[in-house]
Amino acid sequence: MREEDIEKLRGVVRDCVSKHLYSSAIFFADKVAASTNDPADIYMQAQALFLGRHYRRAFHLLNASKIVLRDLRFRYLAAKCLEELKEWDQCLSMLGEAKVDEHGNVSDTKDSNIMYLDKDGEDREINISSAICFLRGKAHEALENRAQARLWYKAAIKADPLCYEALECLIENYMLTCEEEANLISSLQFGSDDGWLSTFYSCLIKKYEKENVVEAKFRDLENSSCKIDQSNPSFLRTLKTNTDLLACKAEYYHQCGEYQKCFELTSVLLEKDHFHLKSTLVHLAAALELGHSNELYLMACNLAKDYPQKALSWFAVGCYYYCIKKYDQSRRYFSKATSLDGTFAPAWIGYGNAFAAKEEGDQAMSAYRTAARLFPG
């Protein structure tokens, strides 16, 4: 096959992936890799297999290549296959041996000869080491080693502040105390153009500072956005009304006890984006505080229909029953939420509250102690 024909097929593979035609992508990538035996083409074939959910076959292809333990892309994708197959110990083994300290600093023990063969890397690609640290964290969390997971998530966000998923896991799973969150954000090395990101991250963490300090952070973020692209004022409007930013504000109002303001803001947010789950959680909490049982009933019905496997859905049902003072039913659904996702902290608190409402103190304290042990934050 001529080189120009091969290059044309590579373009076909990329286009098939962009159009989610994964079987077609796999078919043509296989022909390219067979013709060239080039590591980059083998990797492209493995990517197509991975996206087509052929995880075992993709892993076999990567593992059979002679550079799987020397090229970080190959190793990382092979580990991602093992993640999808839920083979967590093998996933960690594939990622290699490394140690991490309490501050998120990593020391590799045997990876001094590793290469990273990326021909088409973009200027702002996320550091592969950060992605590997994040995957280590996910594997440890799946193995219920939350202490190690916390350290690897910290290592991931420190290796590259653009690895938002690592910060999200730390915050959403309450893995850090308020002080630890603030220290982590202050230790991150942001790029010269990422001032807005630093401010955004500081808005995401717990907001227990003085009111004027928190409000100033929100104002700074909205104002700094205009400096990113003076020629494009639409970006400013987009950021000022950004759902994630407004969800942070709603969370802040809830933490301040401003439940009506919180409820009004989340109502607007959910009208704009019905499926923004972070806003949904805060909306449920505010509705419960305000005693809006009708709203809780409608939310619970919709969530149970759209997301029957999510803990949030059954937490919503528990909130409805708690609101109408049917505490036994409430406890049953909070318990179901914790069984679906043991790391869903609000359900543990709701579970304890349902016992407390029935003056069953020992069981309530047991639920609260579990929450305190699982979620340092």
Side-chain angles (χ1 to χ4, degrees):
M1 199 181 291
R2 295 178 306 167
E3 180 58 38
E4 52 265 38
D5 294 332
I6 291 172
E7 189 55 43
K8 189 180 295 184
L9 280 182
R10 290 188 184 114
V12 171
V13 173
R14 288 191 289 269
D15 189 54
C16 288
V17 168
S18 71
K19 290 183 170 69
H20 308 285
L21 300 170
Y22 299 127
S23 291
S24 297
I26 292 166
F27 176 81
F28 291 112
D30 173 66
K31 307 308 171 281
V32 172
S35 298
T36 67
N37 206 32
D38 186 306
D41 292 328
I42 294 171
Y43 181 76
M44 180 176 70
Q45 182 187 0
Q47 280 275 41
L49 288 166
F50 181 86
L51 293 169
R53 299 178 182 271
H54 299 282
Y55 305 121
R56 187 73 65 186
R57 189 176 164 200
F59 176 74
H60 176 75
L61 176 67
L62 291 162
N63 207 32
S65 70
K66 295 180 180 178
I67 64 168
V68 66
L69 295 179
R70 294 189 295 120
D71 184 340
L72 282 180
R73 288 177 313 157
F74 276 63
R75 176 183 285 193
Y76 176 65
L77 185 55
K80 286 292 290 181
C81 293
L82 292 167
E83 175 199 12
E84 295 293 341
L85 295 166
K86 310 298 181 193
E87 296 180 4
W88 299 109
D89 288 316
Q90 294 92 319
C91 176
L92 286 171
S93 177
M94 176 56 66
L95 291 171
E97 294 182 27
K99 293 182 179 179
V100 61
D101 65 20
E102 180 61 36
H103 305 291
N105 301 312
V106 181
S107 57
D108 290 336
T109 56
K110 296 182 180 178
D111 287 351
S112 57
N113 63 339
I114 283 292
M115 5 177 233
Y116 180 38
L117 306 177
D118 193 350
K119 295 181 179 178
D120 303 309
E122 297 179 3
D123 290 342
R124 292 310 302 271
E125 66 175 13
I126 290 182
N127 188 319
I128 188 71
S129 298
S130 175
I132 286 172
C133 288
F134 176 67
L135 186 49
R136 282 192 177 113
K138 288 189 75 176
H140 280 295
E141 187 168 14
L143 292 168
E144 299 186 358
N145 188 345
R146 286 173 62 82
Q148 275 294 304
R150 179 174 66 90
L151 298 181
W152 283 112
Y153 289 148
K154 285 172 71 174
I157 190 70
K158 287 189 77 169
D160 192 336
L162 297 181
C163 187
Y164 165 76
E165 288 178 75
L167 183 66
E168 183 180 44
C169 285
L170 289 168
I171 293 172
E172 298 297 317
N173 293 339
Y174 304 92
M175 288 185 160
L176 303 176
T177 65
C178 190
E179 183 181 2
E180 286 172 334
E181 285 182 352
N183 290 339
L184 178 62
I185 296 300
S186 65
S187 72
L188 300 182
Q189 302 295 314
F190 290 94
S192 56
D193 298 328
D194 293 335
W196 70 273
L197 185 60
S198 172
T199 309
F200 208 124
Y201 280 1
S202 68
C203 288
L204 287 171
I205 63 176
K206 296 182 189 69
K207 306 161 191 69
Y208 296 129
E209 297 171 297
K210 290 182 179 177
E211 183 178 344
N212 61 327
V213 175
V214 180
E215 298 277 6
K217 283 182 180 179
F218 285 120
R219 282 197 304 273
D220 287 346
L221 184 56
E222 293 167 354
N223 294 334
S224 67
S225 61
C226 66
K227 299 172 186 175
I228 296 174
D229 187 354
Q230 297 284 6
S231 64
N232 185 6
S234 67
F235 187 77
L236 171 63
R237 289 200 300 273
T238 303
L239 201 57
K240 285 192 76 168
T241 59
N242 177 257
T243 308
D244 285 337
L245 179 58
L246 294 177
C248 284
K249 276 191 173 182
E251 204 172 54
Y252 167 62
Y253 290 145
H254 183 269
Q255 289 176 7
C256 291
E258 297 274 4
Y259 302 123
Q260 187 59 41
K261 286 173 75 172
C262 174
F263 182 79
E264 289 169 3
L265 181 52
T266 52
S267 297
V268 172
L269 282 172
L270 291 174
E271 198 169 310
K272 177 181 173 184
D273 183 351
H274 292 291
F275 305 103
H276 193 271
L277 297 184
K278 185 173 182 181
S279 300
T280 300
L281 177 59
V282 184
H283 187 71
L284 290 168
L288 180 57
E289 294 289 352
L290 295 169
H292 293 339
S293 58
N294 286 346
E295 179 70 11
L296 288 169
Y297 177 79
L298 291 172
M299 291 288 291
C301 288
N302 289 332
L303 285 166
K305 179 175 60 113
D306 293 332
Y307 302 104
Q309 295 306 314
K310 280 196 174 290
L312 175 65
S313 303
W314 304 107
F315 171 75
V317 178
C319 286
Y320 166 70
Y321 281 115
Y322 189 92
C323 186
I324 62 173
K325 296 182 168 51
K326 291 189 175 180
Y327 300 118
D328 289 336
Q329 291 95 321
S330 168
R331 187 172 68 231
R332 189 180 311 131
Y333 285 105
F334 287 139
S335 177
K336 180 169 182 175
T338 63
S339 66
L340 282 172
D341 182 0
T343 65
F344 189 67
W348 284 108
I349 301 299
Y351 190 53
N353 287 354
F355 276 119
K358 297 275 286 185
E359 298 185 356
E360 297 178 25
D362 290 343
Q363 292 94 325
M365 286 304 296
S366 176
Y368 296 146
R369 276 194 293 268
T370 300
R373 175 173 54 80
L374 292 174
F375 315 108

